Amino acid sequence: NTLILGTSEHANPNSHNYKDHPFVLVGKACGNIRAGTHHRHPGGTSNSDAPDVLLTAVRAVGVPLEQLGQTDSGFERWTRDTVSEIET
C-alpha cells in the first residue's frame, strides 16, 4: 500500500535543465504502480515530464487530482497526463 518517490530537483544541476530527469518509484501503491520502477522520460525535454510522473504517483495513492503543476512561474510546468509506462 506504499509508494516512495525519489528524484532530484533537476536532471542536470549545472544547467538546471530537465532533460533525462530520473525518478525512482518504490512500492506498488495498492497495485497501481509497477514495483521498483526507475523512470527517465524518453527525450526528457518537455517541461511537463516531472509533473506527469508526480501526477501519476498522486493518483496511484488515491488522490483524485485533475491536474498538477505550476502555471504562474513565467513558464508552464503542469499536466493532466500520467505516465502509462509506470502504471499497472
Side-chain angles (χ1 to χ4, degrees):
N1 297 333
T2 301
L3 179 64
I4 299 170
L5 185 143
T7 190
S8 59
E9 186 174 351
H10 299 285
N12 182 337
N14 290 331
S15 63
H16 286 215
N17 72 32
Y18 301 98
K19 185 176 182 183
D20 203 28
H21 197 159
F23 297 88
V24 175
L25 294 98
V26 179
K28 295 182 182 180
C30 296
N32 296 316
I33 296 289
R34 295 175 196 249
T37 301
H38 176 244
H39 175 75
R40 289 177 116 83
H41 194 281
T45 57
S46 168
N47 282 337
S48 67
D49 295 348
D52 288 352
V53 175
L54 298 175
L55 183 59
T56 304
V58 167
R59 287 182 180 171
V61 297
V63 180
L65 286 182
E66 185 177 318
Q67 68 182 39
L68 182 135
Q70 184 176 11
T71 60
D72 60 355
S73 63
F75 66 99
E76 294 190 4
R77 283 185 54 91
W78 69 277
T79 191
R80 290 186 172 154
D81 301 322
T82 58
V83 181
S84 61
E85 293 85 6
I86 62 179
E87 298 172 312
T88 56

